[in-house]
Amino acid sequence: MSRNLRKIIEDQKVELARLQAQDMLDRVPMKTVDVFSHLAQAVIGMRRSGKSVVCRKAMKDSGAAYGYVDFDDETLAKIEASDLDSVLQVVYEVYGPVDHFLFDEIQNVEGWHLFVNRLLRNGKHIVITGSNARLLTGDLATHLTGRHIPISVFPFSYAEYSRWVGGDTEENWKKYFYDGGLPETFSLVDKKGYISALYNSIISRDILGRRKVRNAQRFVDAAYVLMQQFAREVSYDNMAKKAGVSSAHTMQTYAGYLAESFLISLVRRYSPKPVERIRNEKLYVSDPGLISYFTGILGSDEELGWRLENIVYLELMRRRVNDDAEVYYYKDQTSDIDFCRVRYGKIVELIQVAYTIDGEKTRKREIAPLFSAGRKTNCKNLLLITDHNKETINEGDMTIEVLPAREWLMRY
């Protein structure tokens, strides 16, 4: 086995050198990966979102010599925890006596945490990637408590995408709006085929392959219904009926599986009482390209507004790297606001999203609730993001800043 293992690690080293020689865009998460930390750097996110590139760039920029193992390699599919010492020995033989390690998708090895914990106790510097949230909420939380730093990576933001493809233009914005920010799709003609294969791989490998789902086809059908529910409040009862699922509880469980694999995010309704925040949720999809796969690229202003709202949500989550504000949605008897940012229990910003406010009826529908919610929460930081409108709207001592999405997305 050791001879075969050495060949695998050597082949991975050759591939690593090839990838390291390619141009790599500086992304915000790279700045948060502390290669020299004695805490494990846990870089998590959806498959093909750029986690490995972020880690390789951080390693390259640090100048540290490191050993690398990609546990998502099919040739390592049968590796067990008892084999990890042998893997480590081969890494030393191939890379030399390194103190830094990058382990891609090590969650594939049952019991990996004991191995990583031992390396940390011995003063090694570890960066790990994972495409399942259980890496963070399960294994890491249980076995590496106080010994890890979580770092989330999303597909490219619009700002990153525009830098990569040559600038912030109307044409590039429309491409991003529909095609999204999965890096490998940028040069592909058949983007839909790529996203279809990626989605099906995540469903089969990361969910059905890891979870005990009794009826695989029923789950696939339920997932399809959930993915189409983006940017809206979730009714698990209604969706269970639509998908032919036995109960709302089962449908909610299935949504949890999709969230674990970073296909969707579930956002809670804001309440001053934390216990009440878990009662309602809105659903967002992890990339605009996935939305196009499930819904197509045409739609009404309302549907385009949902798509834009989804893009805004993803950007708010990216910006949490530099801002510790939590993200909720806000709803009361008179106001339904897409996002409220909360810091230390205080609402610091209310954000409404609409594709356009050109029509008088639409304008009133979007603006009045924002002013109302601002007064009720004593929040004066009010923002309305649209596709193209830009103005300042005053009402008494309250002001709404209306910004085109492109301008807001390019601010950071």
Side-chain angles (χ1 to χ4, degrees):
M1 176 183 176
S2 59
R3 183 177 302 173
N4 185 48
L5 186 58
R6 183 181 178 102
K7 178 68 165 56
I8 294 169
I9 302 299
E10 286 177 339
D11 287 347
Q12 289 189 358
K13 183 179 181 181
V14 171
E15 177 65 6
L16 176 65
R18 184 186 71 81
L19 294 171
Q20 289 282 50
Q22 296 177 351
D23 290 335
M24 292 184 281
L25 185 74
D26 282 323
R27 302 184 65 192
V28 170
M30 293 172 183
K31 301 172 184 177
T32 64
V33 179
D34 184 357
V35 171
F36 297 98
S37 174
H38 287 285
L39 301 177
Q41 308 291 289
V43 181
I44 58 174
M46 189 177 76
R47 285 187 182 275
R48 318 315 298 170
S49 59
K51 300 184 302 295
S52 298
V53 176
V54 164
C55 295
R56 291 196 301 266
K57 183 71 161 59
M59 287 289 196
K60 181 178 180 180
D61 290 350
S62 75
Y66 68 97
Y68 171 74
V69 184
D70 177 8
F71 289 97
D72 214 32
D73 190 324
E74 68 277 4
T75 59
L76 295 179
K78 295 182 179 180
I79 286 287
E80 299 178 353
S82 58
D83 300 316
L84 289 175
D85 281 336
S86 297
V87 172
L88 181 63
Q89 182 58 44
V90 172
V91 169
Y92 283 138
E93 292 172 5
V94 173
Y95 288 91
V98 294
D99 289 323
H100 295 74
F101 299 90
L102 170 54
F103 297 134
D104 260 338
E105 302 289 349
I106 195 171
Q107 66 187 21
N108 291 342
V109 183
E110 194 73 30
W112 63 269
H113 50 272
L114 299 175
F115 171 71
V116 169
N117 227 345
R118 177 155 48 84
L119 290 178
L120 291 171
R121 289 197 304 271
N122 290 333
K124 305 304 181 182
H125 308 280
I126 312 294
V127 179
I128 58 179
T129 74
S131 55
N132 192 292
R134 279 187 293 161
L135 177 72
L136 178 60
T137 60
D139 295 334
L140 280 174
T142 302
H143 303 289
L144 295 183
T145 303
R147 298 185 65 86
H148 74 280
I149 300 293
I151 300 164
S152 296
V153 172
F154 296 85
F156 274 37
S157 68
Y158 175 65
E160 291 169 334
Y161 173 81
S162 63
R163 283 163 52 203
W164 186 259
V165 299
D168 171 28
T169 66
E170 181 66 20
E171 180 183 2
N172 286 339
W173 165 238
K174 290 304 179 186
K175 286 181 179 178
Y176 181 84
F177 188 79
Y178 291 110
D179 295 340
L182 288 165
E184 290 179 343
T185 66
F186 298 165
S187 59
L188 294 179
V189 174
D190 185 14
K191 293 177 172 60
K192 185 174 181 179
Y194 173 91
I195 291 176
S196 174
L198 173 62
Y199 173 78
N200 289 324
S201 175
I202 293 172
I203 293 294
S204 61
R205 294 178 60 186
D206 297 335
I207 300 178
L208 297 178
R210 297 176 184 272
R211 289 293 191 173
K212 295 179 181 178
V213 178
R214 292 182 182 179
N215 189 322
Q217 186 57 52
R218 185 167 296 169
F219 171 79
V220 170
D221 294 342
Y224 188 84
V225 171
L226 284 161
M227 295 294 288
Q228 291 185 315
Q229 189 65 25
F230 68 97
R232 277 158 284 178
E233 214 167 9
V234 177
S235 170
Y236 290 113
D237 280 317
N238 291 340
M239 285 193 292
K241 293 174 184 176
K242 187 174 181 180
V245 173
S246 59
S247 69
H249 175 73
T250 299
M251 199 71 179
Q252 189 170 16
T253 298
Y254 287 170
Y257 293 167
L258 294 176
E260 278 183 353
S261 296
F262 301 104
L263 282 169
I264 66 171
S265 295
L266 297 167
V267 180
R268 293 175 177 173
R269 177 176 170 179
Y270 175 75
S271 169
K273 300 178 181 179
V275 70
E276 295 181 356
R277 296 176 188 170
I278 63 175
R279 296 179 183 173
N280 302 87
E281 295 176 319
K282 287 180 76 173
L283 184 154
Y284 294 96
V285 174
S286 296
D287 185 73
L290 278 166
I291 293 175
S292 295
Y293 174 67
F294 284 96
T295 68
I297 63 171
L298 300 177
S300 64
D301 283 351
E302 182 180 44
E303 291 169 323
L304 294 173
W306 291 335
R307 181 185 286 270
L308 184 60
E309 180 183 333
N310 202 108
I311 290 172
V312 170
Y313 167 75
L314 294 174
E315 182 65 16
L316 289 172
M317 297 308 293
R318 291 186 189 95
R319 292 181 183 183
R320 290 197 66 193
V321 172
N322 297 316
D323 184 346
D324 57 359
E326 298 176 86
V327 177
Y328 299 93
Y329 72 98
Y330 178 91
K331 190 173 184 180
D332 61 24
Q333 293 83 357
T334 59
S335 301
D336 189 346
I337 307 302
D338 295 321
F339 304 108
C340 67
R341 296 173 60 247
V342 179
R343 187 181 296 115
Y344 306 124
K346 179 180 174 60
I347 295 178
V348 296
E349 186 176 27
L350 292 168
I351 302 174
Q352 193 75 308
V353 183
Y355 188 73
T356 178
I357 56 169
D358 289 339
E360 189 59 35
K361 184 178 179 180
T362 302
R363 181 182 179 87
K364 183 177 180 180
R365 185 184 68 231
E366 302 297 342
I367 291 171
L370 197 50
F371 276 130
S372 175
R375 291 191 177 92
K376 288 182 179 179
T377 61
N378 196 30
C379 175
K380 293 189 176 183
N381 192 8
L382 308 178
L383 176 63
L384 175 55
I385 298 174
T386 74
D387 177 70
H388 54 272
N389 302 101
K390 182 175 182 177
E391 60 180 296
T392 299
I393 304 171
N394 297 303
E395 187 176 280
D397 63 341
M398 307 290 286
T399 299
I400 296 175
E401 183 181 18
V402 182
L403 282 178
R406 278 172 58 193
E407 181 174 334
W408 180 75
L409 290 166
M410 292 297 293
R411 279 188 170 184
Y412 291 84

